[in-house]
mmCIF file of all heavy atoms in Angstrom:
data_model
loop_
_atom_site.group_PDB
_atom_site.id
_atom_site.type_symbol
_atom_site.label_atom_id
_atom_site.label_comp_id
_atom_site.label_asym_id
_atom_site.label_seq_id
_atom_site.Cartn_x
_atom_site.Cartn_y
_atom_site.Cartn_z
ATOM 1 N N ASP Q 12 9.503 25.341 -9.533
ATOM 2 C CA ASP Q 12 8.455 25.842 -8.623
ATOM 3 C C ASP Q 12 8.692 25.301 -7.210
ATOM 4 O O ASP Q 12 8.572 26.032 -6.223
ATOM 5 C CB ASP Q 12 7.062 25.386 -9.086
ATOM 6 C CG ASP Q 12 6.618 26.058 -10.376
ATOM 7 O OD1 ASP Q 12 6.919 27.252 -10.560
ATOM 8 O OD2 ASP Q 12 5.975 25.382 -11.205
ATOM 9 N N LEU Q 13 9.022 24.007 -7.144
ATOM 10 C CA LEU Q 13 9.237 23.384 -5.837
ATOM 11 C C LEU Q 13 10.438 24.019 -5.127
ATOM 12 O O LEU Q 13 10.380 24.321 -3.931
ATOM 13 C CB LEU Q 13 9.428 21.866 -6.011
ATOM 14 C CG LEU Q 13 9.622 21.059 -4.732
ATOM 15 C CD1 LEU Q 13 8.407 21.177 -3.805
ATOM 16 C CD2 LEU Q 13 9.877 19.587 -5.050
ATOM 17 N N LYS Q 14 11.514 24.265 -5.902
ATOM 18 C CA LYS Q 14 12.710 24.892 -5.313
ATOM 19 C C LYS Q 14 12.367 26.287 -4.767
ATOM 20 O O LYS Q 14 12.850 26.699 -3.724
ATOM 21 C CB LYS Q 14 13.813 25.021 -6.362
ATOM 22 C CG LYS Q 14 14.508 23.680 -6.589
ATOM 23 C CD LYS Q 14 15.750 23.832 -7.453
ATOM 24 C CE LYS Q 14 16.421 22.480 -7.630
ATOM 25 N NZ LYS Q 14 16.981 22.285 -8.960
ATOM 26 N N ASN Q 15 11.512 26.955 -5.517
ATOM 27 C CA ASN Q 15 11.075 28.303 -5.155
ATOM 28 C C ASN Q 15 10.452 28.355 -3.749
ATOM 29 O O ASN Q 15 10.581 29.346 -3.028
ATOM 30 C CB ASN Q 15 10.045 28.699 -6.233
ATOM 31 C CG ASN Q 15 9.619 30.113 -6.191
ATOM 32 O OD1 ASN Q 15 9.437 30.650 -5.114
ATOM 33 N ND2 ASN Q 15 9.442 30.714 -7.355
ATOM 34 N N ILE Q 16 9.752 27.255 -3.348
ATOM 35 C CA ILE Q 16 9.079 27.259 -2.035
ATOM 36 C C ILE Q 16 9.760 26.327 -1.022
ATOM 37 O O ILE Q 16 9.226 26.086 0.056
ATOM 38 C CB ILE Q 16 7.579 26.887 -2.182
ATOM 39 C CG1 ILE Q 16 7.389 25.548 -2.915
ATOM 40 C CG2 ILE Q 16 6.811 27.988 -2.868
ATOM 41 C CD1 ILE Q 16 5.952 25.047 -2.895
ATOM 42 N N LYS Q 17 10.951 25.848 -1.414
ATOM 43 C CA LYS Q 17 11.647 24.858 -0.572
ATOM 44 C C LYS Q 17 11.753 25.295 0.898
ATOM 45 O O LYS Q 17 11.420 24.542 1.809
ATOM 46 C CB LYS Q 17 13.052 24.611 -1.148
ATOM 47 C CG LYS Q 17 13.811 23.526 -0.425
ATOM 48 C CD LYS Q 17 15.120 23.220 -1.115
ATOM 49 C CE LYS Q 17 15.791 22.057 -0.410
ATOM 50 N NZ LYS Q 17 17.030 21.648 -1.027
ATOM 51 N N ASP Q 18 12.180 26.523 1.123
ATOM 52 C CA ASP Q 18 12.448 26.961 2.496
ATOM 53 C C ASP Q 18 11.182 27.246 3.307
ATOM 54 O O ASP Q 18 11.255 27.355 4.532
ATOM 55 C CB ASP Q 18 13.329 28.230 2.478
ATOM 56 C CG ASP Q 18 14.694 27.924 1.884
ATOM 57 O OD1 ASP Q 18 15.081 26.739 1.892
ATOM 58 O OD2 ASP Q 18 15.353 28.866 1.405
ATOM 59 N N ILE Q 19 10.056 27.407 2.628
ATOM 60 C CA ILE Q 19 8.821 27.728 3.370
ATOM 61 C C ILE Q 19 7.783 26.614 3.254
ATOM 62 O O ILE Q 19 6.662 26.740 3.745
ATOM 63 C CB ILE Q 19 8.206 29.062 2.867
ATOM 64 C CG1 ILE Q 19 7.942 29.010 1.351
ATOM 65 C CG2 ILE Q 19 9.082 30.239 3.246
ATOM 66 C CD1 ILE Q 19 7.033 30.137 0.857
ATOM 67 N N LEU Q 20 8.192 25.509 2.588
ATOM 68 C CA LEU Q 20 7.254 24.424 2.301
ATOM 69 C C LEU Q 20 6.537 23.929 3.555
ATOM 70 O O LEU Q 20 5.306 23.885 3.611
ATOM 71 C CB LEU Q 20 8.035 23.281 1.637
ATOM 72 C CG LEU Q 20 7.247 22.096 1.141
ATOM 73 C CD1 LEU Q 20 6.260 22.498 0.062
ATOM 74 C CD2 LEU Q 20 8.187 21.029 0.593
ATOM 75 N N GLU Q 21 7.310 23.567 4.556
ATOM 76 C CA GLU Q 21 6.690 22.926 5.717
ATOM 77 C C GLU Q 21 6.090 23.927 6.701
ATOM 78 O O GLU Q 21 5.169 23.594 7.430
ATOM 79 C CB GLU Q 21 7.704 22.008 6.407
ATOM 80 C CG GLU Q 21 8.032 20.823 5.493
ATOM 81 C CD GLU Q 21 9.099 19.891 6.040
ATOM 82 O OE1 GLU Q 21 8.973 19.486 7.211
ATOM 83 O OE2 GLU Q 21 10.048 19.581 5.311
ATOM 84 N N THR Q 22 6.568 25.158 6.696
ATOM 85 C CA THR Q 22 6.020 26.141 7.644
ATOM 86 C C THR Q 22 4.829 26.897 7.054
ATOM 87 O O THR Q 22 3.849 27.144 7.736
ATOM 88 C CB THR Q 22 7.084 27.183 8.040
ATOM 89 O OG1 THR Q 22 7.659 27.705 6.839
ATOM 90 C CG2 THR Q 22 8.151 26.578 8.920
ATOM 91 N N GLN Q 23 4.891 27.240 5.768
ATOM 92 C CA GLN Q 23 3.830 28.080 5.208
ATOM 93 C C GLN Q 23 2.828 27.335 4.330
ATOM 94 O O GLN Q 23 1.804 27.887 3.937
ATOM 95 C CB GLN Q 23 4.442 29.240 4.423
ATOM 96 C CG GLN Q 23 5.202 30.187 5.338
ATOM 97 C CD GLN Q 23 5.679 31.427 4.607
ATOM 98 O OE1 GLN Q 23 5.018 31.954 3.733
ATOM 99 N NE2 GLN Q 23 6.860 31.877 4.957
ATOM 100 N N PHE Q 24 3.118 26.064 4.012
ATOM 101 C CA PHE Q 24 2.149 25.251 3.262
ATOM 102 C C PHE Q 24 1.635 24.150 4.178
ATOM 103 O O PHE Q 24 0.604 24.303 4.812
ATOM 104 C CB PHE Q 24 2.786 24.701 1.979
ATOM 105 C CG PHE Q 24 2.946 25.755 0.918
ATOM 106 C CD1 PHE Q 24 4.052 26.605 0.909
ATOM 107 C CD2 PHE Q 24 1.984 25.935 -0.059
ATOM 108 C CE1 PHE Q 24 4.191 27.603 -0.046
ATOM 109 C CE2 PHE Q 24 2.107 26.930 -1.023
ATOM 110 C CZ PHE Q 24 3.218 27.763 -1.010
ATOM 111 N N ASP Q 25 2.401 23.069 4.299
ATOM 112 C CA ASP Q 25 1.978 21.968 5.155
ATOM 113 C C ASP Q 25 3.173 21.078 5.432
ATOM 114 O O ASP Q 25 4.098 21.009 4.623
ATOM 115 C CB ASP Q 25 0.877 21.169 4.429
ATOM 116 C CG ASP Q 25 0.080 20.350 5.401
ATOM 117 O OD1 ASP Q 25 0.470 19.212 5.670
ATOM 118 O OD2 ASP Q 25 -0.921 20.866 5.904
ATOM 119 N N ASP Q 26 3.138 20.394 6.559
ATOM 120 C CA ASP Q 26 4.287 19.544 6.880
ATOM 121 C C ASP Q 26 4.025 18.063 6.630
ATOM 122 O O ASP Q 26 4.712 17.201 7.139
ATOM 123 C CB ASP Q 26 4.748 19.778 8.324
ATOM 124 C CG ASP Q 26 3.653 19.469 9.323
ATOM 125 O OD1 ASP Q 26 2.564 19.039 8.887
ATOM 126 O OD2 ASP Q 26 3.882 19.657 10.519
ATOM 127 N N PHE Q 27 2.962 17.768 5.839
ATOM 128 C CA PHE Q 27 2.676 16.359 5.521
ATOM 129 C C PHE Q 27 3.873 15.720 4.808
ATOM 130 O O PHE Q 27 4.287 14.634 5.135
ATOM 131 C CB PHE Q 27 1.503 16.235 4.547
ATOM 132 C CG PHE Q 27 0.156 16.526 5.131
ATOM 133 C CD1 PHE Q 27 -0.963 16.541 4.305
ATOM 134 C CD2 PHE Q 27 -0.020 16.771 6.482
ATOM 135 C CE1 PHE Q 27 -2.209 16.794 4.824
ATOM 136 C CE2 PHE Q 27 -1.277 17.036 7.002
ATOM 137 C CZ PHE Q 27 -2.376 17.046 6.168
ATOM 138 N N TRP Q 28 4.316 16.383 3.783
ATOM 139 C CA TRP Q 28 5.357 15.826 2.934
ATOM 140 C C TRP Q 28 6.527 16.784 2.865
ATOM 141 O O TRP Q 28 6.328 17.990 2.826
ATOM 142 C CB TRP Q 28 4.818 15.621 1.509
ATOM 143 C CG TRP Q 28 3.929 14.434 1.408
ATOM 144 C CD1 TRP Q 28 3.308 13.780 2.434
ATOM 145 C CD2 TRP Q 28 3.566 13.763 0.215
ATOM 146 N NE1 TRP Q 28 2.588 12.745 1.935
ATOM 147 C CE2 TRP Q 28 2.720 12.707 0.588
ATOM 148 C CE3 TRP Q 28 3.892 13.958 -1.121
ATOM 149 C CZ2 TRP Q 28 2.187 11.839 -0.352
ATOM 150 C CZ3 TRP Q 28 3.351 13.097 -2.057
ATOM 151 C CH2 TRP Q 28 2.507 12.041 -1.669
ATOM 152 N N ASN Q 29 7.743 16.220 2.819
ATOM 153 C CA ASN Q 29 8.893 17.108 2.745
ATOM 154 C C ASN Q 29 9.355 17.303 1.293
ATOM 155 O O ASN Q 29 8.823 16.696 0.362
ATOM 156 C CB ASN Q 29 10.025 16.602 3.646
ATOM 157 C CG ASN Q 29 10.556 15.260 3.188
ATOM 158 O OD1 ASN Q 29 10.495 14.934 2.000
ATOM 159 N ND2 ASN Q 29 11.059 14.490 4.120
ATOM 160 N N TYR Q 30 10.355 18.155 1.155
ATOM 161 C CA TYR Q 30 10.858 18.516 -0.175
ATOM 162 C C TYR Q 30 11.283 17.286 -0.978
ATOM 163 O O TYR Q 30 10.940 17.137 -2.153
ATOM 164 C CB TYR Q 30 12.041 19.476 -0.008
ATOM 165 C CG TYR Q 30 12.685 19.856 -1.315
ATOM 166 C CD1 TYR Q 30 12.184 20.906 -2.071
ATOM 167 C CD2 TYR Q 30 13.775 19.148 -1.804
ATOM 168 C CE1 TYR Q 30 12.756 21.239 -3.287
ATOM 169 C CE2 TYR Q 30 14.349 19.473 -3.011
ATOM 170 C CZ TYR Q 30 13.838 20.524 -3.748
ATOM 171 O OH TYR Q 30 14.404 20.840 -4.955
ATOM 172 N N LYS Q 31 12.030 16.397 -0.327
ATOM 173 C CA LYS Q 31 12.596 15.238 -1.031
ATOM 174 C C LYS Q 31 11.490 14.361 -1.632
ATOM 175 O O LYS Q 31 11.568 13.938 -2.785
ATOM 176 C CB LYS Q 31 13.423 14.429 0.004
ATOM 177 C CG LYS Q 31 14.296 13.403 -0.579
ATOM 178 C CD LYS Q 31 15.626 13.986 -1.071
ATOM 179 C CE LYS Q 31 16.229 13.080 -2.119
ATOM 180 N NZ LYS Q 31 16.600 13.759 -3.349
ATOM 181 N N ILE Q 32 10.447 14.117 -0.832
ATOM 182 C CA ILE Q 32 9.354 13.257 -1.314
ATOM 183 C C ILE Q 32 8.622 13.940 -2.472
ATOM 184 O O ILE Q 32 8.297 13.316 -3.477
ATOM 185 C CB ILE Q 32 8.371 12.915 -0.168
ATOM 186 C CG1 ILE Q 32 9.100 12.107 0.901
ATOM 187 C CG2 ILE Q 32 7.173 12.128 -0.695
ATOM 188 C CD1 ILE Q 32 8.275 11.813 2.146
ATOM 189 N N LEU Q 33 8.408 15.240 -2.339
ATOM 190 C CA LEU Q 33 7.726 15.959 -3.425
ATOM 191 C C LEU Q 33 8.580 15.976 -4.695
ATOM 192 O O LEU Q 33 8.053 15.860 -5.806
ATOM 193 C CB LEU Q 33 7.396 17.388 -2.993
ATOM 194 C CG LEU Q 33 6.133 17.495 -2.131
ATOM 195 C CD1 LEU Q 33 6.058 18.854 -1.461
ATOM 196 C CD2 LEU Q 33 4.882 17.246 -2.962
ATOM 197 N N GLU Q 34 9.887 16.090 -4.517
ATOM 198 C CA GLU Q 34 10.784 16.070 -5.679
ATOM 199 C C GLU Q 34 10.659 14.716 -6.408
ATOM 200 O O GLU Q 34 10.572 14.661 -7.635
ATOM 201 C CB GLU Q 34 12.220 16.302 -5.205
ATOM 202 C CG GLU Q 34 13.197 16.523 -6.337
ATOM 203 C CD GLU Q 34 14.620 16.685 -5.814
ATOM 204 O OE1 GLU Q 34 15.021 15.955 -4.878
ATOM 205 O OE2 GLU Q 34 15.332 17.537 -6.355
ATOM 206 N N GLU Q 35 10.608 13.653 -5.630
ATOM 207 C CA GLU Q 35 10.441 12.312 -6.228
ATOM 208 C C GLU Q 35 9.103 12.222 -6.961
ATOM 209 O O GLU Q 35 8.999 11.654 -8.037
ATOM 210 C CB GLU Q 35 10.492 11.235 -5.137
ATOM 211 C CG GLU Q 35 11.909 10.901 -4.693
ATOM 212 C CD GLU Q 35 11.950 10.052 -3.423
ATOM 213 O OE1 GLU Q 35 10.947 9.392 -3.100
ATOM 214 O OE2 GLU Q 35 12.991 10.083 -2.758
ATOM 215 N N GLU Q 36 8.067 12.796 -6.342
ATOM 216 C CA GLU Q 36 6.743 12.794 -6.968
ATOM 217 C C GLU Q 36 6.773 13.521 -8.317
ATOM 218 O O GLU Q 36 6.228 13.045 -9.302
ATOM 219 C CB GLU Q 36 5.731 13.520 -6.060
ATOM 220 C CG GLU Q 36 5.165 12.664 -4.988
ATOM 221 C CD GLU Q 36 4.240 11.599 -5.541
ATOM 222 O OE1 GLU Q 36 3.206 11.951 -6.117
ATOM 223 O OE2 GLU Q 36 4.568 10.409 -5.417
ATOM 224 N N LEU Q 37 7.425 14.683 -8.337
ATOM 225 C CA LEU Q 37 7.463 15.464 -9.584
ATOM 226 C C LEU Q 37 8.233 14.722 -10.672
ATOM 227 O O LEU Q 37 7.966 14.899 -11.860
ATOM 228 C CB LEU Q 37 8.088 16.845 -9.354
ATOM 229 C CG LEU Q 37 7.247 17.850 -8.561
ATOM 230 C CD1 LEU Q 37 7.978 19.175 -8.454
ATOM 231 C CD2 LEU Q 37 5.893 18.075 -9.199
ATOM 232 N N ASN Q 38 9.176 13.906 -10.259
ATOM 233 C CA ASN Q 38 9.972 13.149 -11.243
ATOM 234 C C ASN Q 38 9.328 11.826 -11.637
ATOM 235 O O ASN Q 38 9.820 11.140 -12.523
ATOM 236 C CB ASN Q 38 11.369 12.862 -10.671
ATOM 237 C CG ASN Q 38 12.234 14.114 -10.697
ATOM 238 O OD1 ASN Q 38 12.107 14.938 -11.596
ATOM 239 N ND2 ASN Q 38 13.090 14.267 -9.701
ATOM 240 N N SER Q 39 8.232 11.470 -10.966
ATOM 241 C CA SER Q 39 7.605 10.180 -11.245
ATOM 242 C C SER Q 39 6.713 10.275 -12.494
ATOM 243 O O SER Q 39 5.951 11.228 -12.651
ATOM 244 C CB SER Q 39 6.777 9.767 -10.024
ATOM 245 O OG SER Q 39 5.787 8.854 -10.393
ATOM 246 N N SER Q 40 6.812 9.273 -13.369
ATOM 247 C CA SER Q 40 6.123 9.383 -14.662
ATOM 248 C C SER Q 40 4.608 9.256 -14.538
ATOM 249 O O SER Q 40 3.877 9.696 -15.417
ATOM 250 C CB SER Q 40 6.658 8.344 -15.635
ATOM 251 O OG SER Q 40 6.415 7.068 -15.099
#
Side-chain angles (χ1 to χ4, degrees):
D12 291 323
L13 182 61
K14 282 189 179 143
N15 189 320
I16 55 171
K17 185 174 184 178
D18 296 338
I19 56 166
L20 185 62
E21 293 176 50
T22 51
Q23 294 187 36
F24 286 84
D25 200 271
D26 60 2
F27 287 175
W28 284 18
N29 64 28
Y30 177 85
K31 193 83 203 128
I32 297 175
L33 279 166
E34 189 183 41
E35 281 168 21
E36 277 290 296
L37 289 182
N38 285 327
S39 157
S40 61

